[in-house]
Amino acid sequence: LICYGCTSRTQMNQLLNADEDEGGYLDIPGPFTDLPSSLLEELVQVIYDHKGLPNETLHQLILPQLESYKIQMRSSRHIQTNLIGQRCKKLKSLDFAYSKTIQPMFYTKFFRNFPNLVRINLQGTIIDNEGFDSIGEICTQLKEINISHSTITDVGLMYLCVNEEDDLKRCQQLLSISIEKTRTSAKGVAYLLYYHPLLVKLGYENFSPVFEYFHSPEFIKTTKISNYRPTLRLRNLMFAEDKVSEEGFTSAIESCPLLESVVVHQTDLSNSLLGDLMSISTITSLHLGNSSFSRHTLHFEDGIIPLLLALGQRLTRLNLEKFNKVDVMQIGDLCPHLTYLRLSCVGSYIPVFDLLK
């Protein structure tokens, strides 16, 4: 009521029900027009948490100076996106996470309004590949995008990499992308790395087939590079839930000299391959596990202890799962700087302490 200069609910209802030519609430700018983006963003979140965002509130808070906005679930997504598209040309960050009721075709035209976007969150959305064509063409300053659990395919990934009509590369400032649990393949991810070698973070389930593809006849024919050995800036690698080959694992480790975190679990990997990690002096986080209790290819004494002897002094996080036995005293001795330790599905712990003494 105060923001619209009303002294009663009846007066406010008249504004809300007025026709466009009768001077309704849309003609009243409100008291927030001079607030900076940071304060507007906080106001939007506080009001949403307290009472939701009715249309009259959206009208006064979605203003041209906004640089960051998250599409809210308990508010009209149609009104939100209309106001943002009309007013907020300076947006740098836009969050659509889990907005599954928005139609796939909507994004294609919508993203053409925002050439200044640096961060986009499309996690859990239903977006067609043409939407990524718009992002790749228009959002040239994009640095971070989350498209995990979305409907993107390899075609959409390529739209973020290159314009196939003129071979011009796209989104060359991109540093972080998450594509877990999507319909993309190892082939699509391999080309993503080929066109974006400066990526610092790439969220994907299993990098082994990705690096295997770099040596495939199809990749060699397409790129005309017979022995592609990239030097990447990735800080994280994951090998999980699928087959991990010696070629794929070794090639990935050799290509990422700045690794900080390695995840290997729910897969069969030999103790000998873990030795490839010993030369990476930047690793601070390890998550290692076997695929099942019936077949343990990683062993604590033969595989984990030698690795901790080489890396333990630098480790701050350690996660071990599905091992027959684990020696917690050796972990304590070899990893004095751990701030996070998780041991799960372990058959037995040694030494065994007598708690009665």
Side-chain angles (χ1 to χ4, degrees):
L1 294 178
I2 295 175
C3 294
Y4 280 96
C6 297
T7 58
S8 65
R9 170 53 64 180
T10 301
Q11 190 177 0
M12 185 68 216
N13 288 337
Q14 289 175 348
L15 286 177
L16 295 175
N17 297 326
D19 295 330
E20 292 185 4
D21 56 349
E22 294 179 351
Y25 74 93
L26 294 178
D27 295 328
I28 301 174
F32 309 117
T33 54
D34 294 327
L35 290 183
S37 176
S38 57
L39 287 181
L40 281 177
E41 293 164 26
E42 290 182 17
L43 266 177
V44 169
Q45 193 59 52
V46 169
I47 294 175
Y48 176 76
D49 292 341
H50 180 67
K51 55 172 288 186
L53 291 170
N55 295 349
E56 61 271 21
T57 303
L58 291 172
H59 165 65
Q60 292 205 347
L61 293 180
I62 297 182
L63 298 172
Q65 63 266 37
L66 266 180
E67 295 182 0
S68 178
Y69 191 80
K70 178 180 180 181
I71 301 298
Q72 305 291 353
M73 296 294 145
R74 291 184 290 110
S75 183
S76 169
R77 282 177 278 279
H78 175 72
I79 299 297
Q80 290 178 83
T81 53
N82 272 355
L83 289 174
I84 291 169
Q86 295 168 8
R87 299 177 178 180
C88 305
K89 306 302 182 182
K90 297 180 180 179
L91 270 183
K92 294 182 179 180
S93 177
L94 193 51
D95 191 336
F96 276 93
Y98 294 101
S99 298
K100 293 185 177 182
T101 59
I102 295 179
Q103 295 298 310
M105 299 77 71
F106 160 82
Y107 297 98
T108 303
K109 184 177 179 180
F110 179 78
F111 276 111
R112 294 188 171 276
N113 295 306
F114 309 105
N116 299 313
L117 280 176
V118 174
R119 178 184 176 274
I120 301 174
N121 188 352
L122 291 167
Q123 182 179 15
T125 57
I126 303 172
I127 176 173
D128 59 15
N129 290 316
E130 284 65 30
F132 292 104
D133 189 19
S134 295
I135 293 173
E137 178 184 351
I138 302 299
C139 305
T140 58
Q141 301 178 48
L142 188 65
K143 293 185 178 181
E144 177 184 351
I145 183 168
N146 184 348
I147 43 183
S148 60
H149 300 267
S150 74
T151 51
I152 189 173
T153 67
D154 287 351
V155 175
L157 276 187
M158 289 302 296
Y159 281 140
L160 297 176
C161 296
V162 64
N163 185 342
E164 294 184 350
E165 294 181 0
D166 54 21
D167 289 329
L168 287 178
K169 293 182 179 180
R170 292 176 165 182
C171 302
Q172 288 302 290
Q173 296 188 46
L174 190 63
L175 297 176
S176 174
I177 180 170
S178 299
I179 51 177
E180 299 101 325
K181 306 298 181 183
T182 61
R183 293 184 288 178
T184 56
S185 69
K187 173 184 174 180
V189 179
Y191 282 111
L192 178 69
L193 282 174
Y194 175 72
Y195 284 105
H196 295 285
L198 300 183
L199 277 174
V200 173
K201 178 186 176 183
L202 171 54
Y204 189 63
E205 292 90 354
N206 188 2
F207 280 92
S208 178
V210 174
F211 282 85
E212 288 177 44
Y213 184 79
F214 286 140
H215 306 289
S216 68
E218 183 179 13
F219 181 82
I220 294 172
K221 180 180 179 180
T222 302
T223 62
K224 298 178 174 59
I225 301 175
S226 59
N227 190 21
Y228 183 60
R229 296 185 179 277
T231 300
L232 304 173
R233 297 186 179 184
L234 291 179
R235 304 303 201 267
N236 308 280
L237 286 178
M238 176 179 283
F239 305 89
E241 301 178 9
D242 204 349
K243 181 181 178 182
V244 176
S245 70
E246 180 177 352
E247 178 188 29
F249 185 81
T250 302
S251 178
I253 298 301
E254 291 177 349
S255 298
C256 303
L258 301 178
L259 269 184
E260 296 176 358
S261 174
V262 177
V263 176
V264 182
H265 72 123
Q266 296 181 26
T267 187
D268 292 325
L269 188 68
S270 65
N271 291 320
S272 59
L273 283 181
L274 288 184
D276 294 332
L277 298 175
M278 295 182 185
S279 60
I280 309 296
S281 61
T282 52
I283 293 178
T284 59
S285 176
L286 282 177
H287 180 173
L288 305 174
N290 283 293
S291 60
S292 66
F293 278 111
S294 60
R295 182 184 177 189
H296 283 187
T297 57
L298 295 181
H299 305 291
F300 185 79
E301 291 183 356
D302 299 333
I304 303 303
I305 290 300
L307 189 59
L308 296 185
L309 282 168
L311 304 178
Q313 289 290 328
R314 295 182 293 273
L315 288 183
T316 58
R317 297 176 63 87
L318 179 62
N319 189 339
L320 300 177
E321 63 180 60
K322 296 181 180 177
F323 284 87
N324 284 327
K325 63 179 180 178
V326 168
D327 189 331
V328 291
M329 289 193 70
Q330 288 202 66
I331 292 176
D333 290 338
L334 297 175
C335 308
H337 303 297
L338 284 182
T339 58
Y340 175 88
L341 173 63
R342 183 173 184 265
L343 306 173
S344 60
C345 299
V346 175
S348 62
Y349 295 92
I350 53 175
V352 177
F353 298 100
D354 187 351
L355 299 180
L356 298 177
K357 293 183 178 180

